[in-house]
Amino acid sequence: PEDTPSGIYVLYLTAKNESPGTVHTESLPIFVCAKKPSAKLCVLVSTFTYVMYGNHGRSDFDKEAFTRKQEDLKSVYPCNALQHPSYRQSTYNFHSDGSGIHYASHRRPLFTVRPGYISLPHTSCSGLRHFPADSHLIAFLHHQQRHNKTADGSSPFDYDIITDHELHSEGASCLEGYSTLMTGTHPEYHTLGSLSAIEDFRDRLNGNIIYLGGNGFYWRIGASDVPTMSGQEQDSVHLLEVRRAEDGVRTWACETGEYYHSLEKQCTYGGLWRRNGRPPQKLVGIGFASQGGFQGMPFQRNLSLDPSLNWILDGIPSDKTILGDFGLSGGGAAGFELDRVDRGLDGFESSRFSVPLTIVAQAHGKAPDFILVPEEVLTTYSNTSGLTEAEAKRADMIYFRLKHTQKDGSQSEEGGPQVFSVGSITFCGSLPHNRFDNEIATILSNVLSRFASNANSL
């Protein structure tokens, strides 16, 4: 129906088998975007990343652990890509000749984009990633909506959704009217169109950004905007392409001469956005630094935080220095893939800030399996940050505010875009802990409430 509220819906299908008592079920997610904004907050659904990981056949899949999860949890999606060879290929896998898979499409069954799909059954935590892991955030929003209503019946936790596909096709125009754009756990893959739309939302529309993941805005991908053999223009986001050039965390590497996208008319250079002159630090203040096992650690609050930013930690006792030593994703709010500040990459002049980039809390990847990402490494004893390896392997939770850009291009101190970033893939997994009554949920609630009450002029 045309009046369907924006949100994430699931269509459940059942089919009875000829065998008595046997019923097969399937669950298909549907993402409904708003025709016009019905809330100040817009949640970005990372559909490009979902597609690029679609049916990832993981080499560390543990069949016995998966069976145990199925026995213990009724909500586990019953299929795993590795159990079905016809489907188990993603851009993280290989063709039969050993070459990496460059192309992916949403026009095929994607087990990984199903509620309850477990990517990592061998872990002691939920083992959820991507779409299922983003449900932790959606559940948080719905819980907060029910318990935080204003006099007019609205809530600072009301939201619409938008997907990467809309950002690519429509640009920042599809975000007009929203004050805040919030990501999920892993907005890793972006086209030039989708990344530019987010940057334009911040810089031209003065929109706030909340980045709730790690390893975000990492790979540049191409989309199928070239004509077909019949001369007809294709669906511009039907087919996606990745070229794993130069470096980065990757399961395969492009051969010489294969660094450019074949799907785009301009044959753009692929690889990392960092190698294309647009590192994630320029957008959200932090970027991918370290990766380890699917385990989480707590943040430690910044004890010298400027008092003007105490609102971020409002409601958390001042003597509570450890934040988020729990969670469904790895058991902690900071884990798996960690992003940190690198002022040599963000490109911000100090004169552009109305509130300088500030670290609110930090977590260090101290477990033995946490390593620096390849693009950070120079030698066995040095890296691009100039820090020790132990200092560089960390997650930074940050906040900053830029000056307001007027229509004539001038800037003023008041009403500029705010950015809050957490630097960890596992952050959202801590939100549901103790029925959403915990310090991680409190921090995000404070940020959302502040951004909603202090909306920028759009």
Side-chain angles (χ1 to χ4, degrees):
E2 290 196 4
D3 59 350
T4 301
S6 177
I8 301 173
Y9 297 81
V10 177
L11 176 65
Y12 287 97
L13 306 175
T14 60
K16 293 183 178 180
N17 200 327
E18 293 181 357
S19 302
T22 303
V23 177
H24 298 283
T25 63
E26 182 58 283
S27 51
L28 304 176
I30 301 172
F31 306 118
V32 178
C33 302
K35 287 189 173 181
K36 59 180 181 179
S38 66
K40 295 179 180 179
L41 172 65
C42 186
V43 175
L44 176 61
V45 181
S46 297
T47 48
F48 285 168
T49 300
Y50 296 169
V51 171
M52 300 307 281
Y53 277 92
N55 294 348
H56 179 197
R58 296 187 62 94
S59 59
D60 58 355
F61 175 71
D62 187 329
K63 184 177 180 180
E64 292 183 0
F66 180 66
T67 300
R68 289 195 297 272
K69 290 276 190 182
Q70 287 180 303
E71 294 171 349
D72 295 341
L73 301 170
K74 294 182 180 180
S75 59
V76 172
Y77 186 72
C79 300
N80 189 281
L82 267 172
Q83 297 174 313
H84 300 272
S86 298
Y87 295 102
R88 68 181 184 192
Q89 303 292 16
S90 76
T91 60
Y92 284 75
N93 298 117
F94 304 86
H95 293 291
S96 58
D97 65 358
S99 61
I101 296 175
H102 296 76
Y103 304 97
S105 174
H106 64 272
R107 292 185 177 177
R108 62 179 182 132
L110 296 177
F111 297 160
T112 47
V113 191
R114 297 289 191 272
Y117 183 90
I118 296 182
S119 295
L120 302 162
H122 61 280
T123 61
S124 59
C125 59
S126 70
L128 302 181
R129 293 204 62 203
H130 309 300
F131 172 65
D134 288 343
S135 67
H136 297 143
L137 172 62
I138 300 303
F140 162 82
L141 290 173
H142 284 271
H143 178 273
Q144 297 299 86
Q145 282 176 336
R146 292 193 298 270
H147 294 85
N148 296 274
K149 294 289 186 181
T150 60
D152 63 1
S154 64
S155 168
F157 303 95
D158 291 339
Y159 71 96
D160 292 336
I161 70 162
I162 202 76
T163 77
D164 292 336
H165 287 68
E166 277 71 39
L167 292 185
H168 172 83
S169 299
E170 302 176 30
S173 63
C174 65
L175 297 174
E176 291 183 1
Y178 295 110
S179 68
T180 302
L181 179 68
M182 182 166 68
T183 78
T185 60
H186 198 191
E188 181 177 3
Y189 289 86
H190 281 278
T191 62
L192 176 61
S194 63
L195 187 69
S196 296
I198 300 171
E199 188 174 81
D200 201 26
F201 172 70
R202 187 195 69 184
D203 293 346
R204 182 174 63 84
L205 301 179
N206 294 290
N208 305 314
I209 297 176
I210 300 176
Y211 167 42
L212 296 182
N215 185 22
F217 315 102
Y218 192 63
W219 289 106
R220 179 174 186 166
I221 58 173
S224 54
D225 60 357
V226 296
T228 62
M229 293 295 289
S230 63
Q232 298 297 315
E233 195 76 11
Q234 295 182 23
D235 173 355
S236 63
V237 284
H238 155 45
L239 189 63
L240 302 177
E241 175 185 15
V242 63
R243 296 283 161 173
R244 302 196 188 279
E246 293 192 61
D247 53 22
V249 175
R250 50 192 175 163
T251 56
W252 52 264
C254 276
E255 298 292 337
T256 303
E258 295 184 352
Y259 287 3
Y260 290 80
H261 295 126
S262 64
L263 292 179
E264 297 188 328
K265 294 175 182 177
Q266 298 84 5
C267 292
T268 54
Y269 183 77
L272 302 183
W273 273 112
R274 177 169 173 169
R275 297 300 183 208
N276 280 269
R278 297 178 70 171
Q281 288 89 343
K282 283 190 174 183
L283 181 66
V284 292
I286 55 176
F288 196 20
S290 179
Q291 182 181 45
F294 199 69
Q295 55 187 301
M297 306 153 289
F299 284 95
Q300 293 195 355
R301 72 191 294 169
N302 178 2
L303 297 179
S304 59
L305 185 67
D306 189 305
S308 67
L309 297 179
N310 282 342
W311 58 267
I312 299 174
L313 302 174
D314 189 32
I316 302 173
S318 58
D319 61 351
K320 186 172 182 56
T321 60
I322 302 300
L323 308 174
D325 56 345
F326 48 78
L328 297 175
S329 298
F336 191 41
E337 295 179 344
L338 311 178
D339 292 12
R340 65 166 174 80
V341 170
D342 188 331
R343 296 307 312 275
L345 290 175
D346 65 38
F348 292 124
E349 298 288 342
S350 58
S351 60
R352 196 177 175 191
F353 292 108
S354 63
V355 178
L357 192 155
T358 303
I359 295 176
V360 178
Q362 281 186 332
H364 288 78
K366 296 180 180 179
D369 59 347
F370 273 86
I371 60 173
L372 288 177
V373 294
E375 61 271 24
E376 290 283 306
V377 176
L378 294 176
T379 69
T380 56
Y381 55 86
S382 64
N383 60 76
T384 60
S385 70
L387 304 170
T388 66
E389 183 173 340
E391 292 172 326
K393 294 187 300 185
R394 70 174 196 262
D396 290 339
M397 183 188 298
I398 67 160
Y399 170 86
F400 65 92
R401 189 165 198 169
L402 301 176
K403 293 180 179 178
H404 180 93
T405 301
Q406 309 285 356
K407 290 183 178 180
D408 62 3
S410 62
Q411 294 184 328
S412 62
E413 292 286 343
E414 299 298 325
Q418 304 171 88
V419 176
F420 176 75
S421 300
V422 302
S424 165
I425 275 184
T426 63
F427 179 91
C428 289
S430 297
L431 294 172
H433 178 76
N434 194 34
R435 297 182 181 273
F436 304 95
D437 183 11
N438 62 76
E439 61 268 20
I440 297 302
T442 296
I443 289 171
L444 184 54
S445 295
N446 289 342
V447 172
L448 284 168
S449 297
R450 180 77 167 213
F451 283 18
S453 64
N454 194 11
N456 308 326
S457 300
L458 299 179

